[in-house]
Amino acid sequence: MRKEVLVWGGDDPALAATLALSLGLDVTDHWWDDPDQQYLYFRDGALSLGLSPQAREHPICVDFVDQWRSRHRGKELLLKAIGGRRDGLRVVDATAGLGRDSFLLAGYGAIVQMCERQPIVAAMLEDGLLRGRDTADIADVLDKMSLVSVPAVDYLASLESEACPDVVYLDPMFPDSGKSALVK
């Protein structure tokens, strides 16, 4: 049985209440009751999603600063697919997820509109964008990225013809098979 995500109040119950209200989630002060329950909370200043501390699981968050430090310049097949560095290329990332591909494209000059229909993931993306814009090294890259929390098909249908993107990117999200052959 799938459980609804709860928002844990932590050190800032007012912020947690505001977040929970915006996402339509419940707030809890007791995250030790069920070790299998998922929680949305602020950890080290970042909006994170994870299990209770008893599960000893590392929560996920959107951290563009960390992505910037661990990037592998010039080796990304995604950039090859769009023709290499393309300053000013307008891209819609229709399945934004945690924003890794959007950040990569914006880092190489594209203007990226991220679409994320899952409200919790969109909230984590927005948090990552806000925190990252405070870091001088990546602020100019993040300024090329924007987010809408709607399904991509709705966003694309709402665009006027002159505002249509050059590329609509759909991450196929193939699971890692462990084999060495690349997906065609």
Side-chain angles (χ1 to χ4, degrees), residues 15-116:
L15 181 60
T18 302
L19 178 65
L21 182 64
S22 72
L23 296 173
L25 300 175
D26 292 327
V27 178
T28 185
D29 291 328
H30 307 287
W31 74 341
W32 52 85
D33 292 341
D34 183 356
D36 296 325
Q37 175 66 51
Q38 288 188 344
Y39 298 93
L40 189 63
Y41 59 97
F42 287 92
R43 177 177 185 242
D44 299 328
L47 185 59
S48 302
L49 178 67
L51 298 176
S52 72
Q54 299 147 318
R56 297 186 181 265
E57 178 228 24
H58 184 71
I60 60 169
C61 71
V62 175
D63 189 349
F64 292 114
V65 174
D66 186 51
Q67 288 181 43
W68 181 255
R69 290 183 190 130
S70 64
R71 70 194 183 282
H72 302 287
R73 291 189 157 284
K75 298 184 180 177
E76 295 86 357
L77 294 176
L78 174 57
L79 297 173
K80 185 176 180 184
I82 65 164
R85 185 174 188 98
R86 303 278 303 271
D87 288 331
L89 182 74
R90 294 177 306 166
V91 177
V92 169
D93 184 349
T95 53
L98 297 177
R100 290 182 182 109
D101 294 334
S102 295
F103 185 69
L104 174 68
L105 290 166
Y108 279 87
I111 298 167
V112 183
Q113 176 65 60
M114 299 181 290
C115 296
E116 180 51 55

Side-chain angles (χ1 to χ4, degrees), residues 74-166:
K75 298 184 180 177
E76 295 86 357
L77 294 176
L78 174 57
L79 297 173
K80 185 176 180 184
I82 65 164
R85 185 174 188 98
R86 303 278 303 271
D87 288 331
L89 182 74
R90 294 177 306 166
V91 177
V92 169
D93 184 349
T95 53
L98 297 177
R100 290 182 182 109
D101 294 334
S102 295
F103 185 69
L104 174 68
L105 290 166
Y108 279 87
I111 298 167
V112 183
Q113 176 65 60
M114 299 181 290
C115 296
E116 180 51 55
R117 67 181 180 161
Q118 212 308 321
I120 293 173
V121 177
M124 292 170 62
L125 271 171
E126 187 64 36
D127 176 66
L129 288 169
L130 289 172
R131 284 182 296 105
R133 287 190 174 119
D134 291 337
T135 304
D137 292 343
I138 62 169
D140 59 331
V141 174
L142 295 181
D143 286 342
K144 296 176 188 169
M145 299 168 62
S146 57
L147 172 67
V148 291
S149 183
V150 297
V153 68
D154 295 342
Y155 172 75
L156 291 168
S158 72
L159 294 177
E160 299 291 329
S161 59
E162 61 274 357
C164 287
D166 301 310

